[in-house]
Amino acid sequence: MKSYFVTGTDTGVGKTFFTAALASCLQKRGINVGVMKPVATGISSKTGFRSTDVSILHSAAKVNDLENEINPIFMPLPVSPYDASKILHLSFDKKVIFEQFTKLQKRHDMMLVEGIGGIMTPLTRDYFVSDLIKEIGLETIIVTRSTLGTLNHTMMTVNTCRNHGVSIKGIVVNNYDEKGGPEEKNSPLTIHEITGVDILGVLPFVKDCDSYETVMPYIEKNIDLQSLIS
Ligand SMILES: Nc1ncnc2c1ncn2[C@@H]1O[C@H](COP(=O)(O)OP(=O)(O)OP(=O)(O)O)[C@@H](O)[C@H]1O
Ligand SMILES: [Mg+2]
């Protein structure tokens, strides 16, 4: 069974909601799916976990894994990991990511790993999310927006993956508003046309979307789960 690294064209595009909803759909199908957010930054949440993303992923996949296994690196500042490590004088030890990933991969049949920010988010001065995906050895799923500007961001993300030897499983177009303008309506088709990458599915903009669970019915309906599993 394959595992995936979920990246996005930007921060806030829906990586966590997509990953959590997908993990929950797979878990409901009886798949032993594990989750990971190797690097997180931000203000400590009140969820019992330092990072809100980690708490969402943990509860969606219904895993018993420890917080520091799912999220080996947390820096308590809402900035990029590289800035956080500079400001807080923390070192970035990528070894711990691979140690925990190897452990979790043995415990689960499939792993969904959420990145941080986008593909070129710096983890250190010269080590980027793209390098992490390559080193961890997973195919990536790119979450993108559907609104104006997405062609530029998606193309840059796809080209960066290709230039870094990161293999792309497909693209998920999130926050799609079918009543949107012509650019938005066409975006999934045009993204596929110009990148040649498969569109795994289009997830609509859901009004009052306050939980990944709101997105789950659209994952079931709009994404070919079997193609991700086999
Ligand atoms: N399909 C959707 N419809 C409506 N709102 C959505 C949808 N998907 C995500 N959102 C909203 O966008 C917000 C950001 O989504 P999410 O946290 O998944 O992004 P992210 O890419 O993981 O961000 P980060 O870079 O901080 O990890 C969510 O809090 C949610 O409210
Ligand atoms: Mg997130």
Side-chain angles (χ1 to χ4, degrees):
M1 214 174 272
K2 283 197 181 161
S3 293
Y4 301 100
F5 192 109
V6 179
T7 189
T9 51
D10 198 358
T11 189
V13 288
K15 295 183 297 294
T16 304
F17 272 40
F18 164 71
T19 310
L22 176 62
S24 189
C25 290
L26 295 170
Q27 196 270 341
K28 284 201 157 79
R29 288 191 173 199
I31 293 169
N32 173 7
V33 60
V35 284
M36 200 174 179
K37 170 101 184 176
V39 185
T41 61
I43 300 154
S44 286
S45 72
K46 296 188 183 86
T47 58
F49 291 85
R50 296 166 302 187
S51 146
T52 309
D53 281 9
V54 174
S55 123
I56 294 172
L57 295 171
H58 177 271
S59 91
K62 297 195 170 45
V63 289
N64 291 318
D65 306 320
L66 301 173
E67 179 174 16
N68 70 344
E69 293 173 328
I70 300 174
N71 172 227
I73 299 179
F74 178 78
M75 301 188 202
L77 209 61
V79 296
S80 82
Y82 179 46
D83 278 323
S85 64
K86 281 196 295 183
I87 296 163
L88 300 172
H89 304 287
L90 298 169
S91 61
F92 183 88
D93 175 18
K94 64 176 178 161
K95 208 166 65 262
V96 70
I97 297 176
F98 303 113
E99 282 167 6
Q100 302 299 13
F101 177 72
T102 307
K103 210 195 285 178
L104 291 179
Q105 206 181 24
K106 283 187 190 140
R107 208 177 286 162
H108 300 286
D109 295 329
M110 181 178 188
M111 286 295 297
L112 297 177
V113 181
E114 181 188 343
I116 181 160
I119 193 83
M120 286 305 283
T121 298
L123 303 175
T124 70
R125 190 173 189 278
D126 55 6
Y127 191 79
F128 299 85
V129 167
S130 57
D131 298 307
L132 176 62
I133 307 177
K134 188 78 203 300
E135 203 169 346
I136 214 163
L138 295 179
E139 265 193 307
T140 189
I141 294 175
I142 299 167
V143 180
T144 188
R145 300 192 168 86
S146 54
T147 43
L148 192 62
T150 194
L151 301 181
N152 175 51
H153 286 124
T154 310
M155 204 62 214
M156 288 198 297
T157 302
V158 167
N159 282 348
T160 303
C161 285
R162 287 179 172 151
N163 292 340
H164 284 75
V166 170
S167 147
I168 307 169
K169 174 68 179 174
I171 293 171
V172 173
V173 181
N174 191 28
N175 282 306
Y176 183 77
D177 182 358
E178 55 185 16
K179 295 193 201 91
E183 168 93 6
E184 176 153 20
K185 275 195 214 144
N186 278 320
S187 60
L189 267 177
T190 309
I191 286 171
H192 174 64
E193 185 190 340
I194 59 172
T195 62
V197 176
D198 286 345
I199 303 296
L200 299 175
V202 176
L203 302 175
F205 174 76
V206 187
K207 207 166 163 277
D208 302 323
C209 177
D210 56 358
S211 156
Y212 71 88
E213 283 162 309
T214 337
V215 177
M216 284 174 65
Y218 302 102
I219 299 258
E220 292 282 3
K221 202 165 106 202
N222 299 356
I223 292 191
D224 179 3
L225 292 181
Q226 203 50 44
S227 76
L228 292 179
I229 298 164
S230 47

